[in-house]
Amino acid sequence: MAPQRFHEQFDQIQRSMPDVPLAMGPDDSAEFFYEKGVILARDGEEARVVEETVRSHFAAAPDLTADDVRRAGPETNRTGITRIRVGDPAPGVRDGDPAVAHALRALREAEGRRGHRLAGRNHVVSIAVNACPGDEPVPAPAGEPPNPAADGTRYDQDTAVGVLVIDTGLMHDYASYPPLAHTRGDGQVTETDAAGALREYVGHGTFIAGLVAAVAPNTDITVRGTLDDAGAVLESEFGARLFDAVDRDGWPDVISLSAGTANGRFDGLLGVDAFMRELREQDTLLVAAAGNNGSATPFWPAAYAALPDYQDVVLSVGALRGDGERGACFSNHGPWVAAYAPGERLVSSLTGFEAPVPYVYQHSTYDACRYGFGYACTCQSPRHTGVLSEEPESAPGEPDRVTFAGFAQWSGTSFATPLAAGLVAAHMSAHKESDPRAARRQLLAAVTAYAEVRGAQVPALLPPTWRPTPVTRPAPGA
């Protein structure tokens, strides 16, 4: 049976949130995960309108209970969001939540009168972007250098560009990799499981920091472990965590964010609305991953790049395949994606270099590309068997195990994003540009390389020290 990565990730994330019942959405399809029995509304008068409207609607519906409509708290917080309970979720069922769907439909007339959305689901935001990873890390061949390699620029504390990576925390021995000597931030809370193997997505933030440092050595990189818990957080908490990350060190020049979610809409996420409005008033540029669902559905926060008030504030980044000529099979795409950067089989530091550490694959590869592409993409190469993909009674064998001793190859829009962030920072250093948003405009205006993504010609941001890899067809019988 073919792997079902979206469902496998659902189970993985549900285990990391045992007290939060989750559903797949929106209703009968799987585009995102969200909290059952809860909707989000803005604090104050709008939350009151949402409560009253939904309670009235439920009172007239025999299969719903008006008494279930109540504040789930908190009533006030910096994000300006209130959780409102609209049902008692049934445990153990992953399909869409009818109570949430009914509540959102009940609000449509009121939203039409006000001219804007009043409520939304409480989505899961994840670094799997979104819950469907590009792939899992692969040990880099012995002797293979980082890709991209460091560009030779010297670090200068007085002129270094500030880059904040919001991700998982740093591995305990990250500083044994010299390009990260000037990096600081949160340590990864738990690196290994009870058997001593790396947990899923551990090293994600370290890998990203290594990519930024390679493309832009003259940077002060700070890594915050905002998404250490299985790489996922509820939307209602995400905005507050973003505020916490910038509050600790002040607003940086560039934020690199390789996380997000779809929500089936074109107007952003309620849970990050307050953060995005404050970001707009700062001088910071948000560089955000477009997601790995092979879809044109807007993915947030990256898709803010297409909204008029945020086009200069957000750079949304999709992934190119190994040769840089076309889009990677997994990359989201569409007019809301501003640019693309290499995102297949990049090489960076997954762990430090103090001691080798094992890893057990979670997902199996596919017999053919899950998105219908014909090259040897990360869906099927290199082949491995994962523990989450196989039913015990039908498993073809033990999950594959590997050992990491520093460098890894990894693919995803998660990693195209820090390349773009690094190019913005490198442009600022090279041109003595103090405004990261101006650097974004200048960088895109100077693009001479283009790639083909779903029939469209798109700007390709290619680091000078990045080495393209040949694209091949799958081997016969593979």
Side-chain angles (χ1 to χ4, degrees):
M1 183 175 70
Q4 298 292 327
R5 288 193 187 178
F6 194 83
H7 292 260
E8 293 162 14
Q9 284 296 114
F10 179 92
D11 294 336
Q12 193 88 327
I13 290 173
Q14 181 66 88
R15 281 192 291 272
S16 76
M17 301 179 179
D19 299 325
V20 181
L22 299 178
M24 293 182 177
D27 295 320
D28 55 359
S29 63
E31 288 187 1
F32 48 75
F33 304 155
Y34 65 97
E35 182 182 11
K36 286 184 178 181
V38 167
I39 60 175
L40 301 183
R42 295 179 180 86
D43 286 339
E45 192 264 344
E46 287 200 359
R48 181 188 60 77
V49 169
V50 169
E51 277 189 273
E52 292 178 354
T53 303
V54 176
R55 187 176 290 115
S56 174
H57 176 80
F58 278 18
D63 57 335
L64 299 168
T65 304
D67 291 340
D68 282 333
V69 183
R70 61 188 184 278
R71 300 291 173 99
E75 291 194 8
T76 58
N77 55 51
R78 188 174 178 186
T79 61
I81 293 299
T82 295
R83 293 172 66 248
I84 297 176
R85 179 157 302 281
V86 295
D88 185 14
V93 180
R94 65 175 70 188
D95 297 334
D97 186 342
V100 169
H102 279 299
L104 295 178
R105 282 196 290 271
L107 290 163
R108 288 177 182 169
E109 183 177 345
E111 289 176 334
R113 290 194 301 269
R114 289 174 175 257
H116 65 266
R117 177 169 44 149
L118 291 174
R121 292 176 174 85
N122 192 14
H123 302 87
V124 173
V125 178
S126 78
I127 62 171
V129 261
N130 172 40
C132 214
D135 73 348
E136 294 175 82
V138 177
E144 182 170 356
N147 186 20
D151 74 354
T153 302
R154 297 185 62 180
Y155 172 78
D156 176 17
Q157 184 176 2
D158 294 332
T159 63
V161 176
V163 178
L164 172 61
V165 174
I166 296 178
D167 208 87
T168 64
L170 291 161
M171 300 298 283
H172 76 276
D173 56 349
Y174 76 93
S176 60
Y177 181 47
L180 296 181
H182 306 291
T183 298
R184 61 192 181 93
D186 301 328
Q188 173 72 43
V189 175
T190 305
E191 295 184 1
T192 57
D193 61 19
L198 288 173
R199 296 170 65 231
E200 190 174 19
Y201 298 117
V202 163
H204 196 266
T206 303
F207 193 94
I208 285 172
L211 292 173
V212 174
V215 176
N218 191 31
T219 46
D220 282 325
I221 303 170
T222 301
V223 179
R224 292 298 172 210
T226 303
L227 295 157
D228 264 344
D229 189 5
V233 63
L234 288 173
E235 179 184 337
S236 55
E237 302 173 19
F238 187 50
R241 291 197 188 186
L242 291 174
F243 276 124
D244 288 344
V246 297
D247 284 349
R248 292 175 66 176
D249 306 287
W251 289 86
D253 296 305
V254 178
I255 296 174
S256 180
L257 176 63
S258 294
T261 180
N263 68 350
R265 297 184 61 96
F266 297 88
D267 54 359
L269 296 174
L270 283 176
V272 301
D273 182 63
F275 177 84
M276 294 302 296
R277 284 188 279 110
E278 188 160 332
L279 169 67
R280 194 173 59 200
E281 302 307 313
Q282 305 296 325
D283 296 323
T284 298
L285 175 70
L286 173 62
V287 184
N292 299 333
N293 293 70
S295 169
T297 300
F299 184 85
W300 309 94
Y304 278 95
L307 301 184
D309 289 343
Y310 292 96
Q311 290 176 354
D312 214 32
V313 178
V314 180
L315 175 60
S316 50
V317 185
L320 300 175
R321 69 185 191 184
D323 61 0
E325 295 182 3
R326 295 177 183 269
C329 71
F330 53 78
S331 181
N332 285 350
H333 51 90
W336 53 274
V337 184
Y340 292 75
E344 275 193 346
R345 302 187 177 98
L346 302 174
V347 179
S348 182
S349 175
L350 178 74
T351 65
F353 290 77
E354 290 183 358
V357 59
Y359 179 73
V360 180
Y361 280 102
Q362 303 297 298
H363 306 286
S364 296
T365 45
Y366 295 72
D367 292 331
C369 176
R370 54 187 156 148
Y371 301 108
F373 283 62
Y375 73 103
C377 64
T378 56
C379 295
Q380 50 191 328
S381 178
R383 300 193 69 80
H384 47 250
T385 297
V387 64
L388 298 177
S389 298
E390 308 297 338
E391 297 294 334
E393 63 272 14
S394 62
E398 288 294 315
D400 289 333
R401 299 169 182 264
V402 292
T403 299
F404 289 102
F407 289 140
Q409 292 181 341
W410 212 344
S411 304
T413 59
S414 278
F415 313 119
T417 298
L419 295 193
L423 285 171
V424 171
H427 181 94
M428 293 175 68
S429 293
H431 296 85
K432 296 181 171 56
E433 175 58 69
S434 61
D435 182 351
R437 297 178 185 178
R440 171 199 175 278
R441 293 192 298 270
Q442 295 159 11
L443 186 67
L444 292 180
V447 164
T448 58
Y450 289 83
E452 183 179 319
V453 176
R454 310 282 178 154
Q457 293 296 306
V458 300
L461 299 176
L462 307 178
T465 61
W466 168 72
R467 304 184 306 279
T469 56
V471 169
T472 60
R473 295 282 177 180

